Amino acid sequence: MSSTASPFPDRIELTGEGLVLRDWTEADVAAMPDLFDHPDIAYWTPIASPFDEAAARTRLDRARRLRADGTAVLLAITTDGRAPLGEVMLRRAPEGTEIGYAVGPAHRGRGLAVRAVRVMAAYAFERLGAEQVILELEAENAASVAVAAKAGFSLLDVPLIEGEEKGRPYVLQTWALDLP
């Protein structure tokens, strides 16, 4: 990642691959529990669980804070700019430019995560000057490993990342996509 990259703009809307990635809005709060209150999301991600309307408001506030401080941007995954189907995140950190994602259970199997990751990676390369973007995934999360591979990422031969989230230990692999 380039250390001279400018902060995120106040508003972001990215289009490509049949998707519109857009800022979360107050109008999305009611839809967010259907997307994020699911055992898979609770298990594989740091997203709050249970995920109710209060958690949605907290997530929206957190997204705005992270954007304001230039740390991360969280965008709703849509096909038309309207109803959110999931989320894609881009985080700028000293260790690199990282992408994360979650797709609501009712919207899986449509390639949304793969396409959203590719659109977000292109944004990181073209607008932020990133030379590489990474995904940090648990090897046992077959769906996320498939997303990484389909999006063109390669597993790096680097130390595993060990930690604990929500009282559960995890071990993450690092996958990377280099600037084309």
Side-chain angles (χ1 to χ4, degrees):
M1 179 188 93
S2 170
S3 61
T4 60
S6 61
F8 295 114
D10 290 340
R11 185 177 183 287
I12 297 177
E13 183 174 285
L14 308 176
T15 58
E17 305 233 6
L19 299 178
V20 178
L21 308 181
R22 63 160 176 82
D23 293 318
W24 287 105
T25 68
E26 290 291 332
D28 296 321
V29 168
M32 291 170 81
D34 286 340
L35 299 175
F36 301 133
D37 191 35
H38 188 269
D40 287 348
I41 291 175
Y43 188 83
W44 296 115
T45 76
I47 293 175
S49 179
F51 196 95
D52 54 14
E53 188 171 319
R57 291 197 180 284
T58 298
R59 187 150 186 90
L60 182 60
D61 291 343
R62 180 174 179 264
R64 290 175 175 161
R65 282 193 313 275
L66 291 170
R67 164 89 57 93
D69 72 19
T71 302
V73 62
L74 287 72
L75 300 177
I77 300 170
T78 78
T79 56
D80 58 6
R82 294 186 196 104
L85 310 173
E87 175 178 86
V88 63
M89 176 269 307
L90 180 74
R91 183 174 73 93
R92 296 171 17 169
E95 64 272 11
T97 302
E98 178 185 3
I99 295 175
Y101 47 85
V103 173
H107 309 292
R108 293 179 185 161
R110 298 169 45 191
L112 296 169
V114 172
R115 293 184 285 151
V117 165
R118 288 194 296 236
V119 170
M120 192 64 97
Y123 174 79
F125 294 138
E126 296 165 11
R127 301 297 283 280
L128 302 179
E131 294 182 14
Q132 181 181 70
V133 292
I134 61 172
L135 302 171
E136 295 175 342
L137 313 171
E138 291 186 62
E140 296 80 17
N141 186 343
S144 278
V145 169
V147 167
K150 288 177 185 173
F153 284 67
S154 299
L155 181 60
L156 297 181
D157 186 17
V158 297
L160 298 173
I161 302 163
E162 297 184 38
E164 185 174 314
E165 184 78 39
K166 300 182 208 173
R168 182 181 79 79
Y170 62 79
V171 178
L172 303 175
Q173 300 174 323
T174 302
W175 292 70
L177 180 66
D178 292 327
L179 176 68

